[in-house]
Amino acid sequence: MTVAVGAAPKVELAPGAERMFSNDLSELVEQTARAAADAANAEAPVPAGVPSIADAITEISRLRDDLEGEGLHATLERRRAEVAPEDVQPAPQDAIAGTAKLELHPAVMETLNASLKLLERFNTAPPGGGGKGDLEVPVGKASHESKLVTIEATMEHPIASVWLSKRAMEIGPKALGAQITETAAAAAEDLAGKTNGYFTDLGLPLGPDDIAAVADENRARGDQALADIEHINQQRADLERRLIDGGYFA
């Protein structure tokens, strides 16, 4: 059994597996797959310095309150002063200090508030509850076209449940292992189609599919912004060259 985070599992059955009862083999595959998934999740690297949910709630609440009460510029300036070394304080931005309070788009504040609500929901959820309340956790399900294998997949276990027909033992361990692998991949695909709505129902402003689309859009906007900056710099350089050469006034 090969299970890696973010990839469909691969199942290979040892010779002699076809001599087992179908129910016993189903249970063996299921238990092995669950154990392999748990081990893969445990070994997955955890980002260093990840704050607790309570710490995140405190920091995001403070940022939201500062933005609402002081505006963007004042908040940024105070945060810069807080993180700068005592002997190297940032210079005041005199050119901006006299301007009116800079405010963020309402959608930004709505996203902050939605994120806070979601964090608070998870922080107060009972152990193992996942903050999902009465929401039904999505389950992907697929059956092989041969009707010999049916598999359910969850977000925690790519092979959560296995059903094997009594006739499944007749095709041999190699072919059966291949069918289990194919069916697990189909169950994972079915699960992926249900996951986006689940996270949206949890209160996330965006689901996984939406986040991917937003990321692509932001990347495109960033590329366009870089291209615009390069174009402006080129125009400035051309203007300076013309001034120096006298051609601008010709």
Side-chain angles (χ1 to χ4, degrees):
M1 179 79 63
T2 303
V3 176
V5 177
K10 181 179 180 180
V11 179
E12 295 180 355
L13 300 179
E18 74 279 6
R19 294 194 293 270
M20 298 179 64
F21 290 110
S22 59
N23 288 341
D24 292 339
L25 184 56
S26 297
E27 185 177 351
L28 178 61
V29 172
E30 179 181 316
Q31 291 178 351
T32 305
R34 285 175 172 268
D38 291 340
N41 289 327
E43 294 174 359
V46 178
V50 176
S52 66
I53 294 180
D55 291 339
I57 291 174
T58 300
E59 186 61 27
I60 295 177
S61 298
R62 177 173 170 243
L63 175 61
R64 178 199 58 189
D65 295 342
D66 289 347
L67 289 172
E68 290 179 341
E70 302 177 4
L72 177 61
H73 173 65
T75 299
L76 292 178
E77 286 300 304
R78 186 158 58 77
R79 291 299 178 95
R80 288 177 60 207
E82 289 176 358
V83 299
E86 294 183 1
D87 55 341
V88 184
Q89 288 296 315
Q93 302 294 321
D94 295 333
I96 306 178
T99 62
K101 183 175 71 171
L102 298 177
E103 296 183 354
L104 292 173
H105 191 279
V108 177
M109 302 307 298
E110 291 176 5
T111 300
L112 280 176
N113 287 322
S115 299
L116 277 171
K117 290 179 180 178
L118 181 66
L119 287 171
E120 290 166 353
R121 185 173 184 175
F122 272 85
N123 195 42
T124 57
K132 57 183 177 294
D134 297 330
L135 291 177
E136 184 177 351
V137 178
V139 176
K141 188 173 183 178
S143 295
H144 196 272
E145 60 183 6
S146 68
K147 306 300 181 183
L148 301 179
V149 181
T150 299
I151 288 178
E152 285 187 348
T154 65
M155 291 185 288
E156 185 177 7
H157 297 111
I159 297 181
S161 300
V162 181
W163 289 272
L164 299 178
S165 167
K166 292 181 179 179
R167 295 188 300 107
M169 319 310 287
E170 300 174 1
I171 65 175
K174 185 174 182 179
L176 183 54
Q179 287 198 15
I180 294 175
T181 297
E182 293 172 9
T183 309
E189 184 176 353
D190 182 59
L191 174 65
K194 302 174 180 178
T195 302
N196 195 63
Y198 171 74
F199 278 101
T200 302
D201 291 341
L202 274 178
L204 283 170
L206 300 172
D209 293 344
D210 301 318
I211 291 174
V214 171
D216 290 340
E217 181 179 354
N218 288 340
R219 190 179 299 109
R221 289 181 177 179
D223 292 341
Q224 183 61 51
L226 290 175
D228 292 343
I229 292 173
E230 184 177 353
H231 179 66
I232 292 173
N233 287 337
Q234 184 62 47
Q235 286 184 320
R236 179 181 56 78
D238 290 343
L239 179 59
E240 291 178 350
R241 178 178 53 78
R242 290 178 183 181
L243 288 171
I244 292 174
D245 296 341
Y248 184 80
F249 300 101

